[in-house]
Amino acid sequence: MSLKGRQQKAKHTRIKGKPGRVIGTVGRRVLVRDSQGERVCYLSGQRAVIGDLVRWEDAPGSGGKLLGVEKRQTVLRRRDLQGKERILAANLRGIVVVSSPRSPDFDSMLIDRYIVAANAAGLDVHICINKIDLGQMDCVTPYLREREALGYKVFSVSAKSAETLVEFERFLQTNSGQESGPLALVGLSGVGKTSLLAALLPGQDVGPIGELSSYWDQGQHTTTGSRLFELEGGGELVDSPGIRTFSPSGLEPGEVSTYFPGFSELQCQFRDCMHQKGQKGCVAEERLSENTLRGYRRLIEFLEKQSTPY
Ligand code: GDP
């Protein structure tokens, strides 16, 4: 259902208050937009995330008070280092996993974990390799070819070079937005997400989230916020807080092969096969790259232990 449809449907829910959409979050405050404008709302109960359709009411002297969150159509989740589930965003159309060939090092396993989380959440997923001005590393190209062969869209760009961004920008404009929901830029801290936003949104302040705008208190410093941005010419992007690792949440080890890139095409003769090392008759080692299998097995191992990240 389109976002407009969802908003219309939301009007008929039982939560009282005025309808709006969360376009910014910092700690326990959210920035809510409706046709009248934007205001900071304080959470009174249920936590809201970026992209949520909410109900709010005026709170004299302090913007607004959040009354409730409408049912989410999609939810992107991650498991934090303590094993707790965190919701990163709601009502997304998909994610763009941003990575770089170096600084920080290329990490195909991390991209695959994002793909798993997006596939499990029913989200589109695309890959963007930034900093191509630094040159490609040998291991990047084979991985990207593998994922492209599976149908994932891959962009190679540099936030520092406008001409490399033309196709990427056009794609974002036509594959996200009001009707379908935003795309979230996700990936490790330092891969260049903020730089990409700055290049795609000239004139807009996309800097460190805690210092983003005068909506938030002076002196507020936080790295846990998110913002939603509208692209000129259509399309919507969500920035996400910087992270050092990512693990999908809410998945059983036995479900991983359903969502891990390359496994649904595998046609292993055993139903319920876990594709573990040396498993007799399993075709995974013959048909998948070593890299893919290693990432898959590490994720299974992690989910089985559910303690330390890889
Ligand atoms: P974020 O943490 O993912 O938001 O990454 P930033 O946008 O803050 O960028 C981290 C660092 O990488 C900064 O020093 C940027 O100047 C640099 N950077 C970003 N994009 C590029 C790029 O395309 N090429 C090069 N060489 N450096 C980049």
Side-chain angles (χ1 to χ4, degrees):
M1 189 192 292
S2 73
L3 187 70
K4 214 165 165 186
R6 280 182 248 150
Q7 274 166 333
Q8 273 160 2
K9 194 174 166 214
K11 277 184 194 153
H12 302 292
T13 61
R14 274 188 222 126
I15 310 170
K16 287 197 183 108
K18 297 185 255 194
R21 183 187 188 199
V22 175
I23 59 153
T25 62
V26 168
R28 293 194 60 78
R29 289 171 299 167
V30 293
L31 188 60
V32 173
R33 180 187 288 163
D34 65 6
S35 56
Q36 307 299 306
E38 296 168 6
R39 78 284 305 156
V40 173
C41 287
Y42 290 79
L43 305 185
S44 53
Q46 190 181 353
R47 215 177 165 94
V49 298
I50 194 91
D52 266 331
L53 299 175
V54 294
R55 295 280 166 157
W56 66 280
E57 67 180 9
D58 291 308
S62 59
K65 180 176 164 194
L66 207 86
L67 300 176
V69 177
E70 306 287 359
K71 190 170 181 297
R72 295 166 175 147
Q73 301 299 311
T74 65
V75 177
L76 179 65
R77 298 181 165 87
R78 69 179 285 239
R79 188 171 287 279
D80 71 12
L81 292 177
Q82 285 73 44
K84 268 177 93 172
E85 180 176 290
R86 303 271 173 210
I87 297 181
L88 293 177
N91 303 321
L92 291 176
R93 164 147 179 195
I95 61 173
V96 179
V97 190
V98 183
S99 191
S100 56
R102 58 174 65 90
S103 311
D105 285 347
F106 184 69
D107 187 344
S108 63
M109 277 192 220
L110 185 85
I111 302 177
D112 284 343
R113 286 185 177 203
Y114 273 115
I115 293 177
V116 169
N119 285 342
L123 297 171
D124 296 347
V125 51
H126 318 291
I127 300 168
C128 174
I129 305 299
N130 185 36
K131 306 194 189 187
I132 53 162
D133 54 297
L134 299 180
Q136 296 271 25
M137 275 177 3
D138 287 350
C139 66
V140 176
T141 312
Y143 169 79
L144 296 180
R145 289 219 182 103
E146 250 183 64
R147 295 297 165 264
E148 272 180 314
L150 291 171
Y152 295 98
K153 188 96 183 135
V154 175
F155 297 91
S156 295
V157 305
S158 168
K160 295 187 188 279
S161 157
E163 68 257 36
T164 66
L165 294 171
V166 174
E167 193 199 338
F168 183 48
E169 182 175 22
R170 205 171 299 136
F171 179 84
L172 298 173
Q173 285 165 337
T174 50
N175 287 278
S176 66
Q178 269 293 320
E179 292 299 308
S180 57
L183 285 172
L185 293 186
V186 298
L188 287 186
S189 296
V191 293
K193 298 180 297 298
T194 314
S195 306
L196 284 170
L197 281 171
L200 294 165
L201 300 155
Q204 283 199 50
D205 180 3
V206 299
I209 292 294
E211 297 155 25
L212 249 189
S213 93
S214 54
Y215 281 112
W216 314 111
D217 288 344
Q218 290 288 315
Q220 170 81 18
H221 180 76
T222 174
T223 53
T224 57
S226 290
R227 275 293 303 264
L228 186 144
F229 299 95
E230 285 175 12
L231 286 168
E232 248 181 61
E236 287 179 334
L237 291 180
V238 165
D239 191 12
S240 61
I243 55 147
R244 279 170 293 152
T245 183
F246 176 86
S247 295
S249 184
L251 272 187
E252 294 298 325
E255 293 176 300
V256 172
S257 63
T258 308
Y259 305 113
F260 205 97
F263 283 78
S264 58
E265 296 81 0
L266 196 59
Q267 295 178 323
C268 186
Q269 56 179 313
F270 305 119
R271 258 182 88 239
D272 305 333
C273 184
M274 291 295 279
H275 314 295
Q276 288 307 332
K277 218 175 178 144
Q279 206 156 325
K280 238 180 159 195
C282 169
V283 294
E285 285 181 18
E286 207 175 285
R287 299 190 186 159
L288 294 171
S289 69
E290 222 181 292
N291 197 35
T292 297
L293 268 174
R294 193 166 50 236
Y296 163 83
R297 287 172 181 160
R298 287 246 191 120
L299 180 54
I300 300 257
E301 220 175 280
F302 168 70
L303 292 175
E304 277 167 354
K305 284 194 203 138
Q306 298 222 328
S307 52
T308 47
Y310 74 95

